[in-house]
Amino acid sequence: MAQTEKMNTRNGTKSKKARSIVLKIIAAIVIAIILFLGIVYISNVISSHSEAKRIEPYGQQVSVDGKNMNVYIQGEGEETIVLLPGAGTAAPALDFKLLIDELSPFYRVVTIEPFGYGLSDGTDKERTADNIVSEVHEALKQLNINRYTLMGHSIAGIYGIDYVSKYPNEVIAFVGIDSSVPTQPGMDVTFPMKKLAFLKQSGLMRLMMKLGPDPYAALAFDDHTKEQMRLITNKNALTATIFNEMEHIPSNFKGAQDLTFPKDLPLLLFVQADNPDFPTWIPLHEEQVKDSDHGKVIPLEGEHYLHHTKYKDIAETFSEFIKEVKGGPAL
């Protein structure tokens, strides 16, 4: 009996020691995680302040709804092209630079940076398609720009179709660069806003972007432009304005489903030739142009940001298209 009690006592002591070791390990892990998150957070705050001083201004500020919207204009051609970015494109005027450089010798190219993008202010106003379109139009009105081709990437296909329906007498053509289609599937998505907000506020988003592959490394941008895009991306990623736009994506797509481009509006859609996420991507765009008097779908090999690699093809094809339907200048 005594031997048994001694064994139980020893086992109990060993068990307590084991539990103590486990608890100490868990405590050490928790402390390490807290320290890691603290370092990441502080580094993010310091980097944000430091990087803000290194961002170089470009374009001009236009007063819209009591805030500043940044607009970049290059070229002095008689005809005007207005460029609209895809959702979340951090620095539109820089992101479109390769395409702008191809177009600007022949056209006046006006790149709009909506609120929350590029060097524009953020806004508390709901990011409905109606508000975004009205703000873009007001910026153009302030600049006395009232006749133009609307050229947009990605979600600009949704805002663009709304824009044309509101201001049909101003838009002379619409050009989509892998532009979104109101009926494309999966746009009823709900984003994990709380998780994304944590990643942004904690600094983990910056760390992930730093450790991830460089999206600009293999592209033809000069090194200075690449660096500026990185700085502005860190500034604009997952801001409150962008969050609000993300929340409105389902309703903005749904609201555009009853809209169509006018039959007499020249319509040129550059489309990713092989979209792995949407096997019906090209047919969806062909459906958009089928009733157009001057409508074309041009498949291009490349990623979603076609203007990063196919800027020469886009510029040349656009010029030929405009010359064909409007008698504009050709490259």
Side-chain angles (χ1 to χ4, degrees):
M1 178 69 72
Q3 185 67 25
T4 302
E5 288 178 357
K6 286 182 180 181
M7 291 180 63
N8 289 337
T9 300
R10 289 174 184 170
N11 290 337
T13 301
K14 288 181 180 179
S15 179
K16 288 180 180 178
K17 287 182 178 179
R19 284 198 298 270
S20 176
I21 292 172
V22 170
L23 290 173
K24 287 179 180 178
I25 292 173
I26 293 173
I29 292 173
V30 171
I31 291 171
I33 291 173
I34 292 172
L35 286 173
F36 171 73
L37 291 175
I39 292 170
V40 170
Y41 174 77
I42 293 171
S43 297
N44 181 55
V45 172
I46 294 173
S47 295
S48 295
H49 285 292
S50 173
E51 290 177 354
K53 299 175 184 178
R54 293 161 54 198
I55 294 175
E56 300 176 2
Y58 54 81
Q60 62 190 89
Q61 300 285 306
V62 179
S63 179
V64 176
D65 199 23
K67 296 182 178 295
N68 289 322
M69 182 174 290
N70 199 59
V71 179
Y72 179 75
I73 301 176
Q74 183 172 318
E76 299 178 355
E78 292 183 4
E79 293 197 25
T80 299
I81 300 170
V82 174
L83 287 172
L84 298 180
T89 299
L94 302 183
D95 185 80
F96 279 124
K97 185 179 186 303
L98 300 174
L99 178 59
I100 292 171
D101 288 346
E102 291 294 320
L103 293 169
S104 58
F106 307 92
Y107 304 93
R108 177 173 61 162
V109 185
V110 181
T111 305
I112 302 291
E113 298 192 326
F115 289 138
Y117 289 72
L119 303 185
S120 294
D121 291 342
T123 180
D124 295 330
K125 199 168 185 179
E126 296 297 317
R127 297 295 80 202
T128 61
D130 184 64
N131 286 341
I132 292 171
V133 164
S134 296
E135 292 159 1
V136 169
H137 182 259
E138 179 60 24
L140 293 174
K141 182 179 177 181
Q142 294 294 327
L143 294 166
N144 295 315
I145 297 173
N146 50 37
R147 290 286 288 173
Y148 41 87
T149 290
L150 200 61
M151 182 182 292
H153 172 242
S154 195
I155 203 170
I158 301 303
Y159 303 147
I161 199 170
D162 188 277
Y163 195 104
V164 170
S165 70
K166 287 182 171 63
Y167 310 107
N169 295 327
E170 296 186 19
V171 182
I172 63 174
F174 179 81
V175 180
I177 303 174
D178 215 36
S179 50
S180 300
V181 180
T183 54
Q184 71 186 62
M187 291 301 103
D188 55 351
V189 60
T190 300
F191 295 97
M193 294 300 182
K194 291 183 179 180
K195 292 181 180 178
L196 292 174
F198 172 74
L199 290 175
K200 170 70 174 180
Q201 295 164 6
S202 67
L204 288 172
M205 177 61 68
R206 176 191 291 277
L207 180 62
M208 292 167 61
M209 291 170 64
K210 185 175 182 179
L211 295 177
D214 184 350
Y216 308 120
L219 301 179
F221 297 102
D222 61 82
D223 291 340
H224 180 72
T225 300
K226 290 179 181 179
E227 178 63 14
Q228 287 295 305
M229 286 195 286
R230 292 186 190 101
L231 295 175
I232 299 174
T233 296
N234 286 334
K235 178 180 80 75
N236 289 340
L238 300 179
T239 61
T241 303
I242 298 300
F243 267 138
N244 193 273
E245 184 178 4
M246 291 169 65
E247 290 175 333
H248 280 86
I249 282 178
S251 58
N252 284 338
F253 269 82
K254 185 176 181 180
Q257 288 180 1
D258 294 330
L259 301 176
T260 58
F261 287 106
K263 188 174 184 294
D264 60 348
L265 180 75
L267 193 58
L268 179 62
L269 304 180
F270 296 100
V271 182
Q272 186 181 10
D274 182 16
N275 187 323
D277 297 320
F278 299 105
T280 59
W281 193 234
I282 292 179
L284 282 170
H285 288 81
E286 290 174 337
E287 180 69 19
Q288 275 197 310
V289 306
K290 71 174 186 178
D291 295 323
S292 175
D293 292 337
H294 302 285
K296 287 185 178 181
V297 173
I298 309 294
L300 293 175
E301 295 293 336
E303 301 297 325
H304 178 50
Y305 280 75
L306 290 171
H307 53 283
H308 285 174
T309 54
K310 298 297 181 180
Y311 45 93
K312 291 183 181 292
D313 297 295
I314 292 171
E316 290 174 2
T317 304
F318 166 74
S319 179
E320 293 168 359
F321 179 77
I322 288 298
K323 183 180 180 182
E324 177 185 331
V325 299
K326 290 289 182 180
L331 299 182

